[in-house]
Amino acid sequence: MPKRVRTAVFPVAGLGTRFLPATKAMPKEMLTVVDRPLIQYAVDEAREAGIEHFVFVTGRNKGVIEDHFDRQFELETTLEVRGKNKALSELRKDLPSAGRTSFTRQQEPLGLGHAVWCARDIVGDNPFALLLPDMLFKGEPGVLRQMMDAYEETGGNVIAVEEVPPAEVSSYGIIARGEGEDNGFRITGMVEKPKVEEAPSNLMISGRYILQPEVFSLLADQPKGAGGEIQLTDAMQTLMHTQPFTGVKYQGKSFDCGSKIGFLTANVVYALDRDDIRDGFLKELQKLDLGAHF
């Protein structure tokens, strides 16, 4: 049996420049899809998969993320006095229990690989999950739970993948697919942002990983790669020489909430999936003369 994955790492130090000016004073991970911050969706997904320890790699001006996962006694008292028990219950349900969260700083913007390396002393010599909060996944069970199922069968390292149009492969990390079914196949290679004609497939690395701790020692000496940053993909390529990598073509829908289009689409989809607001939202949409905008 592979060693159980109990810890998840969330890189949340990015500047969110694609959402300026909204992210000038507010972390992009706190942008809301309907009424929940992006980071909360990622934590919920991890909790569903059995994660017990939540590690946030933060940066300057990210203190509100730590506050979000703490209790606000004044707010709770006000809700209790006003009899807003449902809202109070929702607040408390979302909080990890005491001692389950850790925060560390990425003091320089040196890329995803560097952000992961910053969590090394907290994670220790244990496998861990890595979730990029920009990527929002709608699936049942959640994507990380689907990956855990594969991990329990294969051990090693597991990466969630999805298909992208061939013309877009140069924007992503791309894997080479080996033998196996969609819910657990061998990955035989990977490359960061390949040219279209050099891409080994159209399967992109989609922001969910289960990694073994040996990746930390590789990241410690990893030279800068694409974009002048320390690339996690480069370290994983090296690790692949000594450890297996399994791909999971997950069941579900993804939204790249690091882009405005993906973020807006996610808001529409999640709003329509909510019993409490779906009908009212549809009525408002029907009132719009959408044809006048085209």
Side-chain angles (χ1 to χ4, degrees):
M1 290 291 291
K3 195 172 184 179
R4 184 179 170 189
V5 179
R6 300 175 180 271
T7 301
V9 174
F10 303 85
V12 293
L15 298 176
T17 53
R18 287 187 286 179
F19 278 88
L20 287 170
T23 51
K24 179 180 178 182
M26 180 178 69
K28 63 177 180 176
E29 297 83 10
M30 292 300 294
L31 295 173
T32 57
V33 172
V34 186
D35 55 6
R36 299 173 72 77
L38 285 170
I39 188 61
Q40 185 68 60
Y41 286 102
V43 168
D44 291 344
E45 180 186 336
R47 184 187 284 128
E48 178 204 8
I51 294 298
E52 300 172 359
H53 187 189
F54 307 88
V55 180
F56 301 89
V57 182
T58 71
R60 285 178 290 279
N61 301 321
K62 299 282 185 167
V64 68
I65 295 176
E66 188 169 352
D67 291 340
H68 177 73
F69 291 105
D70 197 1
R71 295 187 64 181
Q72 285 198 16
F73 292 100
E74 298 88 348
L75 176 59
E76 292 182 13
T77 299
T78 300
L79 292 174
E80 191 169 12
V81 168
R82 295 180 180 178
K84 296 184 179 294
N85 297 322
K86 183 177 180 181
L88 181 59
S89 176
E90 284 293 318
L91 278 181
R92 290 175 174 170
K93 175 177 67 69
D94 289 341
L95 289 180
S97 57
R100 298 292 190 186
T101 57
S102 297
F103 297 83
T104 188
R105 283 287 186 102
Q106 182 185 20
Q107 296 169 324
E108 298 178 80
L110 295 178
L112 176 59
H114 182 258
V116 172
W117 180 76
C118 288
R120 65 198 183 281
D121 288 337
I122 300 174
V123 174
D125 191 24
N126 297 293
F128 63 100
L130 173 65
L131 297 89
L132 308 190
D134 280 0
M135 295 300 298
L136 176 58
F137 295 90
K138 191 171 183 57
E140 293 184 7
V143 170
L144 188 58
R145 178 66 265 173
Q146 295 177 45
M147 296 169 65
M148 289 288 196
D149 292 340
Y151 174 77
E152 289 166 5
E153 293 289 330
T154 65
N157 305 272
V158 182
I159 299 176
V161 302
E162 66 175 272
E163 291 186 5
V164 295
E168 297 180 11
V169 296
S170 60
S171 298
Y172 303 100
I174 301 295
I175 62 99
R177 178 171 180 163
E179 296 182 353
E181 302 297 323
D182 283 352
N183 62 354
F185 58 86
R186 186 69 178 266
I187 293 176
T188 59
M190 61 183 73
V191 60
E192 184 69 24
K193 299 180 179 179
K195 295 179 180 178
V196 173
E197 61 273 15
E198 297 175 358
S201 75
N202 69 330
L203 293 174
M204 65 167 275
I205 300 170
S206 60
R208 296 293 185 270
Y209 313 75
I210 296 173
L211 297 171
Q212 296 298 316
E214 287 77 12
V215 75
F216 290 124
S217 60
L218 296 174
L219 288 169
D221 301 317
Q222 184 69 46
K224 293 179 180 179
E229 297 180 337
I230 297 174
Q231 296 290 346
L232 177 63
T233 302
D234 294 340
M236 292 193 298
Q237 284 178 307
T238 303
L239 187 59
M240 190 179 295
H241 295 149
T242 56
Q243 292 184 0
F245 275 74
T246 298
V248 173
K249 190 179 176 185
Y250 62 86
Q251 298 294 312
K253 171 68 176 174
S254 72
F255 304 91
D256 180 4
C257 291
S259 73
K260 294 181 179 72
I261 298 301
F263 177 72
L264 292 170
T265 303
N267 268 281
V268 172
V269 171
Y270 274 75
L272 293 175
D273 196 46
R274 286 272 295 267
D275 291 339
D276 58 331
I277 61 175
R278 179 181 58 247
D279 292 343
F281 185 46
L282 279 172
K283 288 179 181 178
E284 292 302 316
L285 289 176
Q286 290 163 1
K287 292 178 185 178
L288 297 176
D289 183 9
L290 296 178
H293 296 278
F294 299 98

